[in-house]
Amino acid sequence: MPAGAGMADGGPFERSLRYTGPMHGHEPLSDELQQILAAAWSALEHGAADPRDDLHWPVLASVTVARDPGPDARTVVLRACVPAERRVDVHSDVGTGKIAQIRAMPRVCLVGHRRDARTQLRLWGDATIHHGDALAADAWQRLAPHSRANYRSEKDFALIRVVVDRLDWLLVDPGAHRRAAFDWRDGTLNAHWLDA
C-alpha cells in the first residue's frame, strides 16, 4: 500500500507517521523507528496546537483506588507537547475525580488516534498535579478567555503534566497492522517492533 494512500496529504510528517516500509521480522530498524518516533512527537505537537486535529482530544486513563477500584477514562484536551522533555500537558478542574485518582496513583495512559493517518498513539507516564503554583499560574495566563470560562476561578484550575516514559505507535492498515514501541524507563531509549 503506497504511503499516503487513503488519506489526506498532510505533509511530510503525516506521511512518515504512516510509515509503511518493510519490517524485516522484529529486527530493530533504527532509521525507520527514529523516523516514526520523530513523526509521532511532531503529530502530538500539531495536535496540541490545532483543535481540529484528532490528537487534540486524547483519552486520559487513570486508576480508581478508592470506592469501586479499577480503570477510569475520559476525553481531555491536549494543551502542550514538548518532545525535548518528553512531556504533555492537559488541564482540569481541581475538584474532578481524575485529580484525586492521579494524586493517589500517578501512573496514567493517554490514547490518541488520527483517523486520516489510521494511526494510534499510546503514551504512558507519571503525572504531576500543579495547583496554585507557578506552573499552574503560567498555564492559566496562557488560557484563552473562553477556556477560562470553564472554571469558576483560577483557584479551581489545575495543570496535569505527564512525563512520557513509554510510547506505542500502531498503524491500523487493512493490508498489515504495524506496531512499534519506544521505552525510556531504564534511562535510555529502547525501540523495537511489536506484534500488532
Side-chain angles (χ1 to χ4, degrees):
M1 182 176 182
M7 56 174 279
D9 185 358
F13 89 86
E14 183 82 78
R15 289 191 291 273
S16 60
L17 180 61
R18 275 204 80 214
Y19 171 72
T20 55
M23 287 182 61
H24 300 306
H26 296 285
E27 293 298 318
L29 303 176
S30 59
D31 290 344
E32 288 85 351
L33 289 171
Q34 286 185 16
Q35 180 187 35
I36 289 170
L37 180 59
W41 284 120
S42 293
L44 289 163
E45 283 187 291
H46 188 271
D50 187 355
R52 298 167 298 181
D53 193 299
D54 291 337
L55 289 177
H56 194 69
W57 310 95
V59 171
L60 173 66
S62 55
V63 177
T64 302
V65 295
R67 294 176 297 175
D68 191 24
D72 197 4
R74 76 289 293 161
T75 301
V76 294
V77 176
L78 182 62
R79 295 293 185 176
C81 173
V82 182
E85 300 176 16
R86 297 200 323 270
R87 71 165 169 88
V88 293
D89 293 348
V90 300
H91 298 164
S92 175
D93 188 297
V94 74
T96 61
K98 63 180 172 289
I99 296 293
Q101 292 169 9
I102 291 171
R103 281 175 171 161
M105 180 80 69
R107 194 72 179 163
V108 299
C109 179
L110 284 150
V111 183
H113 178 242
R114 298 198 73 179
R115 290 170 294 177
D116 54 0
R118 295 180 181 171
T119 304
Q120 174 187 271
L121 296 176
R122 291 191 294 169
L123 301 92
W124 290 267
D126 291 330
T128 304
I129 306 298
H130 294 277
H131 174 241
D133 63 9
L135 288 175
D138 180 66
W140 175 262
Q141 292 301 317
R142 295 172 184 271
L143 273 184
H146 71 272
S147 295
R148 290 189 189 182
N150 293 321
Y151 304 90
R152 291 185 296 273
S153 72
E154 185 178 353
K155 293 180 180 180
D156 298 299
F157 173 80
L159 166 69
I160 302 173
R161 176 157 291 177
V162 182
V163 176
V164 177
D165 58 33
R166 286 176 60 202
L167 186 151
D168 183 293
W169 171 91
L170 173 66
L171 173 66
V172 183
D173 193 309
H177 292 354
R178 293 182 173 90
R179 184 180 171 205
F182 304 88
D183 194 319
W184 295 267
R185 284 176 294 176
D186 67 357
T188 59
L189 172 60
N190 294 295
H192 56 278
W193 296 105
L194 295 172
D195 292 331

